Amino acid sequence: MRTIAVIGCGALGTIFCQNAVKLLSKDYQITSLLANHFEHAQTLAQSIGVTAVHSAEELLATNPDIVVEFAGRDALKQYGEKILSQGCDLVAVSAGALADESFKEQLIEAARLAGSRLYIPNGAIGGLDLMQTFALMGNAQLSIGNTKAPKSLNGAPYLKGQNLPEDQKVTVFTGSVKDAIEGFPKNVNVAVVATLATNPDQVQVTIQSDPTTEVNTHHLQIKNDLMSAEITISSKPDSRNPKSSTSTAWSVIALLKNLASPIRFY
């Protein structure tokens, strides 16, 4: 039985923990939880019968085999290298942090030296295996479109305090992945994950605000000289955190289940 520690006890961390104890109990045991606010970790820990801790040091002292991060890119930057250097595998949900090339290389080197693994889950999308196949064939080109309700985008640094209109659909952003993650750090993990999987020669991100939508929609188009594909995924945002899709937490459960299974889907 492998042990799991979780960083981040908000909406997605809660969904993950409550369902992991039901669906992964034959292969995994959650041992400890860490959150920015200890009382959040304590409440969730009590509900599933595990331990809440105050620091990353306490978390790692429980000797987890895998640490799952749901706490945001700042937390990933704060703890990621330390976790991997300890020999723990790390599931990084806040993959937007890996748009920082220097940080990404730090994590890769830490994992290489310690013999640990950094896992990037599908999150709110799917098809990362397909994207890698396209990339290996060469000359991959990728475009990513995100459509969300205004309340899912309001508050992003790119908007500089302005709220998006509630009466019309507007294109909020068109540009590079790097600029997208800086401008919308809580909204475009999808773009970073897809780019990491494909390392495309060309990539463009478009973000739209649609006041009539009740779902977060991600539309990806990828092509090379021999193939083309389109992936469109829509999912309801979490009611407690409209900037996130509930499927993100479930994708981590699917990842862990796949890792523990004698048959693996890729």
Side-chain angles (χ1 to χ4, degrees), residues 154-172:
N154 286 337
Y158 183 84
L159 299 177
K160 298 179 180 179
Q162 295 184 349
N163 286 333
L164 293 165
E166 296 286 347
D167 58 353
Q168 60 179 319
K169 182 177 180 178
V170 295
T171 298
V172 181

Side-chain angles (χ1 to χ4, degrees), residues 211-240:
T212 67
T213 189
E214 296 181 354
V215 295
N216 297 334
T217 298
H218 308 284
H219 182 70
L220 297 95
Q221 295 177 294
I222 184 169
K223 63 180 181 180
N224 58 28
D225 294 336
L226 297 174
M227 299 175 65
S228 64
E230 295 189 31
I231 301 172
T232 300
I233 296 180
S234 297
S235 59
K236 290 185 177 181
D238 187 90
S239 58
R240 291 165 294 178

Side-chain angles (χ1 to χ4, degrees), residues 10-71:
L12 297 183
T14 298
I15 292 170
F16 169 78
C17 288
Q18 290 177 341
N19 289 283
V21 296
K22 299 175 185 176
L23 301 174
L24 302 177
S25 59
K26 290 183 179 179
D27 299 299
Y28 299 97
Q29 178 183 5
I30 299 175
T31 58
S32 55
L33 307 180
L34 174 65
N36 287 332
H37 301 286
F38 178 72
E39 60 271 20
H40 294 171
Q42 190 172 43
T43 299
L44 181 56
Q46 289 174 346
S47 74
I48 61 172
V50 304
T51 301
V53 298
H54 292 86
S55 67
E57 289 73 23
E58 284 188 55
L59 186 95
L60 292 172
T62 65
N63 297 314
D65 296 306
I66 303 172
V67 176
V68 180
E69 171 278 314
F70 287 103

